[in-house]
Amino acid sequence: MDYTCMCPRYYSAIDILGKKWTCLILRVLMSGPKRFKEIKEQIPEMSDRILTERMKELEQLDIVVRNVYPETPVRIEYQLTAKGRALKDVVQSIQQWAEAWT
């Protein structure tokens, strides 16, 4: 690989994944669909406002899908799309690196 110049696609990927909390949200969703409250419980340091922002961003990027179930009360769940699930190896690699080096 040529590391002497910045690939625009790599730059774009880092722009997405490098935002604070994004990789933690992805890690939580790797285990399956979750409600907002369930995501928040696993990342309690993150504010509701930031979680809402990140979920909207990930939806717009087609990494996460928001499913609304017309029940009483309405149930909303978030889950990874195929594009989001394709990040599984990336998330696992970060975990392995963290275990070895931090």
Side-chain angles (χ1 to χ4, degrees):
M1 287 199 163
D2 179 11
Y3 294 110
T4 61
C5 62
M6 187 57 63
C7 168
R9 289 183 177 196
Y10 182 85
Y11 182 86
S12 178
I14 292 303
D15 190 45
I16 294 165
L17 298 175
K19 286 189 177 176
K20 189 171 183 179
W21 308 113
T22 297
C23 283
L24 294 176
I25 293 167
L26 295 174
R27 190 170 191 276
V28 168
L29 292 174
M30 287 290 166
S31 64
K34 301 279 184 290
R35 297 176 85 161
F36 187 94
K37 175 182 89 156
E38 294 170 315
I39 299 168
K40 184 72 173 88
E41 285 172 356
Q42 290 192 39
I43 315 171
E45 302 84 13
M46 181 176 39
S47 71
D48 287 357
R49 181 183 65 80
I50 294 294
L51 178 53
T52 299
E53 273 181 31
R54 292 296 177 273
M55 296 311 290
K56 286 180 182 178
E57 290 169 0
L58 293 170
E59 279 182 80
Q60 289 173 348
L61 294 166
D62 192 36
I63 294 172
V64 168
V65 65
R66 180 179 184 259
N67 296 312
V68 180
Y69 299 95
E71 302 169 351
T72 305
V74 173
R75 180 170 52 106
I76 299 171
E77 287 184 341
Y78 298 90
Q79 70 182 70
L80 296 173
T81 62
K83 184 177 178 180
R85 289 188 304 275
L87 290 164
K88 183 177 183 177
D89 289 343
V90 173
V91 172
Q92 287 177 335
S93 292
I94 293 170
Q95 179 68 45
Q96 291 168 347
W97 180 89
E99 289 172 9
W101 295 100
T102 60

